[in-house]
Amino acid sequence: MTAADFVVVANRLPVDRVEGPDGEEIWRTSPGGLVAALEPMMRNVNGAWVGWAGQADVELAPFEAGGIRLIPVALSAEEVAEYYEGFANDTIWPLYHDVIAPPQYHREWWDAYVTVNRRFAEAAAAAAAPEGTVWVHDYQLQLVPQMVRELRPDVTIGYFHHIPFPAHGLYAQLPWRDQVLRGLLGADVIGFQRAQDATYFLTAVRRRLRYEVKGPHVAVPEGEGTRTALARAFPISIDTTPYLELAAREDVRARAAEIRASLGNPKRILLGVDRLDYTKGIRHRIKAYGELLAEGRLKVEDVTLVQVASPSRERVDAYVHLRDEIELAVSRINGDTDTMGHSAIRYLHQGYPREEMVALYLAADVMLVTALRDGMNLVAKEYVATRVDDRGVLVLSEFTGAADELRQAVRVNPHDIEGLKDAIMTAVEMPPAEQGRRMRSLRRRVLDNDVDAWSSSFLAALSEVRGR
Ligand code: G6P
């Protein structure tokens, strides 16, 4: 196989292998924002993508899909349990999202994390052309930058962190905190979503490793001297083109009208779209909405909340409990308030293709993004990009990366249920002129800063650091 000038390394391949009803092989787009953000860029380079196909114990040869060369990394069932469900999603994920759920620390999980990170690093090192570039992504692979550097000192290494990086007081809990920092510092550029994340990382580097930090630059000891690594924010975005195209299509607009009609044409449709994850503040949103109905500030004949909660990490305990809690809360509110003709909450534990999502965005008067912590939240940007009619209101948690950019949203602290209720009412009652004023400004921001701008600025920083 020819070597690739540009290698992306991410836990997931852009497509997931699943088994069909008769045991046949089906490939579908992987969940989450990471893949959506990277895929468009990969189509334009001589690149390869190293990742896991989403199933345990499946060995696959490299193959091509949608014009991208894919290099699958195999994980055993035990590694899926210990590295992916364990260390990545039950240790790092909750710790980095401010301990919303308690992180579990297990030494066997850490060992599996090291082993699997090494496998990804070896695959990347084998795929990269001389003097090529390796771009590592996200919290599942924090040790890969340093491992790649040891194997291939000739390549340029970038790392992008798609989720928050925690304040030092929390980060210090991690038993392997120094190893993880050294792993990340194997990269020439370490990118974060928010300036705050980069600051927390640099603080941890200074306090734990005692490396010299000047502004965004770290002097990393190497051989006799030092090498400079850059750590700063590069807020990620979406490919806006498909959203603009779909939003303009007659059939998609007709589908939006059909959705409204099938919900009984309520005066206002509220929408939540999330992976079913405890970081997303789905419970807080539902609680606030339920109270507004109970207090009569909203009437079930006038409003419907559509909550799309796509299945995620279903074998991790915290996610199993969350699902139970949310489904109990939804059915209680519906039981208390529904009439024969109107439902308070339409809850959908399913994922949908982009076309249907765009129709839903167009049908929704109010988009509720109430995450307790979120690296960026690309759903907020998708909603804004879709609203070519300059209508609709975005309610946005200040604890998302998107809040740094989307200043004209109705901002909320989702922990403050009374404040959240008031914000929902502000959104529901916002006059069209005010909606238009805010939405035009939000749209300008998202359309001017799309995913191409993000990857270009990251890669420009990478070549600059390497060229020094
Ligand atoms: C977030 C993470 C991604 C992850 C995605 C889906 O967006 O930043 O790295 O891929 O969630 O989660 P999953 O565990 O299904 O890969």
Side-chain angles (χ1 to χ4, degrees), residues 11-12 16 30-35 52 84 89 93 137-140 162-163 275 277 280 311-313:
N11 177 56
R12 282 184 184 275
D16 245 10
S30 297
L34 183 154
V35 163
W52 171 51
Y84 168 71
N89 288 318
W93 181 270
H137 290 268
D138 227 358
Y139 65 101
Q140 302 93 344
H162 292 251
I163 70 171
R275 275 185 312 99
D277 194 297
K280 302 292 184 183
S312 189
R313 306 175 191 164

Side-chain angles (χ1 to χ4, degrees), residues 1-4 13-16 25 27 39 42-50 60-72:
M1 209 172 45
T2 52
L13 289 173
V15 285
D16 245 10
E25 177 177 88
W27 290 92
E39 217 195 328
M42 284 302 281
R43 294 183 188 286
N44 306 322
V45 293
N46 158 32
W49 186 313
V50 174
L60 296 164
F63 63 104
E64 232 187 85
I68 305 176
R69 184 163 14 124
L70 306 183
I71 304 178

Side-chain angles (χ1 to χ4, degrees), residues 36 69 77 100 129 180 196 245 260 266 317 319 351 424 428 452 458:
R69 184 163 14 124
I100 295 166
V180 167
Q196 186 189 64
E245 281 172 8
R260 288 197 79 101
D317 277 352
Y319 290 77
I424 292 173
V428 163
D452 283 338
F458 185 92

Side-chain angles (χ1 to χ4, degrees), residues 61-128:
F63 63 104
E64 232 187 85
I68 305 176
R69 184 163 14 124
L70 306 183
I71 304 178
V73 172
L75 298 181
S76 69
E78 197 182 2
E79 285 167 346
V80 172
E82 296 188 341
Y83 148 79
Y84 168 71
E85 289 162 354
F87 198 80
N89 288 318
D90 216 5
T91 305
I92 295 290
W93 181 270
L95 177 65
Y96 284 25
H97 286 88
D98 289 355
V99 193
I100 295 166
Q104 312 293 323
Y105 302 113
H106 296 298
R107 284 162 286 183
E108 317 79 69
W109 290 5
W110 165 254
D111 293 343
Y113 188 75
V114 175
T115 305
V116 171
N117 270 241
R118 177 149 297 123
R119 191 171 308 145
F120 276 84
E122 281 163 0

Side-chain angles (χ1 to χ4, degrees), residues 191-226:
F192 295 92
Q193 302 282 25
R194 310 180 88 164
Q196 186 189 64
D197 300 316
T199 303
Y200 287 158
F201 170 75
L202 290 165
T203 305
V205 167
R206 204 164 1 90
R207 302 220 357 215
R208 302 238 37 96
L209 303 181
R210 311 240 161 245
Y211 292 174
E212 193 187 333
V213 175
K214 268 206 196 120
H217 297 108
V218 183
V220 185
E222 195 171 68
E224 299 295 290
T226 60

